[in-house]
């Protein structure tokens, strides 16, 4: 009786490895872009919760810091600071600012902030590449 050998040839295995390499070359950058977008969105979400308390403080006594508006000074995503100028001026608008920690693909010391106009309107500003910015955020 003759035994028939079965298995994959070296060429077939090399083709499979090449296909996996091509897929990884496409998937890894897409995944890194996804992670960068989610970091910026998480940063905006973390400071967005302080708008109401910030507005209340601005109309009452004008003094704000992260603790007084109910935000921590540091989270896993952000180092949060509050730029207070009373009701806001054109030169130095009042803002709730997040410096993104461990930005990865974004880079270091990237900022997401909510600027408050004198009329009490908030706008999102960021210095990250706009392809990673949440909808409605503009460049600083």
């Amino acid at each position: 009786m003759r035994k028939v050998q079965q298995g994959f040839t070296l060429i077939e295995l090399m083709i499979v490895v090449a296909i996996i390499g091509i897929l990884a070359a496409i998937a890894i950058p897409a995944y890194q872009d996804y992670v960068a977008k989610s970091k910026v969105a998480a940063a905006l979400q973390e400071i967005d919760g302080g708008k109401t308390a910030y507005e209340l403080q601005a109309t009452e006594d004008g003094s704000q810091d992260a603790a007084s508006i109910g935000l921590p000074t540091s989270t896993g995503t952000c180092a949060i600071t509050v730029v207070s100028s009373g009701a806001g001026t054109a030169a130095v608008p009042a803002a709730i600012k997040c410096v993104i920690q461990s930005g990865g693909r974004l880079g270091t010391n990237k900022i997401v902030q909510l600027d408050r106009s004198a009329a009490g309107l908030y706008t999102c500003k960021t210095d990250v590449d706009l392809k990673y910015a949440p909808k409605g955020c503009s460049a600083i």
Side-chain angles (χ1 to χ4, degrees), residues 14 18 24 37 44-45 49 53 64 66 69 74 100 115:
M14 288 175 62
K37 283 180 185 180
L44 179 60
Q45 183 64 32
Q64 303 96 355
I69 62 170
S74 182
I100 299 174
D115 288 347

Side-chain angles (χ1 to χ4, degrees):
M1 243 198 290
R2 194 165 180 216
K3 191 173 186 182
V4 178
Q5 290 185 348
Q6 292 183 350
F8 297 106
T9 65
L10 182 59
I11 297 295
E12 291 171 331
L13 291 175
M14 288 175 62
I15 290 171
V16 169
V17 169
I19 290 171
I20 290 172
I22 291 168
L23 291 175
I26 294 169
I28 290 173
Y31 175 73
Q32 289 174 334
D33 284 350
Y34 171 76
V35 169
K37 283 180 185 180
S38 67
K39 278 189 183 202
V40 177
L44 179 60
Q45 183 64 32
E46 287 184 6
I47 61 174
D48 195 52
K51 284 193 306 189
T52 303
Y54 184 93
E55 190 64 30
L56 184 63
Q57 292 280 338
T59 57
E60 287 182 357
D61 63 7
S63 64
Q64 303 96 355
D65 60 16
S68 70
I69 62 170
L71 295 176
T73 56
S74 182
T75 65
T77 306
C78 289
I80 299 172
T81 57
V82 175
V83 179
S84 173
S85 61
T89 64
V92 181
I96 305 170
K97 180 163 86 172
C98 165
V99 178
I100 299 174
Q101 299 175 344
S102 55
R105 190 172 196 117
L106 297 171
T108 57
N109 297 325
K110 294 299 182 178
I111 296 170
V112 176
Q113 70 185 32
L114 291 171
D115 288 347
R116 181 185 183 274
S117 70
L121 301 174
Y122 288 86
T123 56
C124 175
K125 302 277 179 119
T126 185
D127 66 349
V128 301
D129 190 349
L130 290 180
K131 71 179 183 179
Y132 301 127
K135 201 172 201 177
C137 273
S138 59
I140 290 179

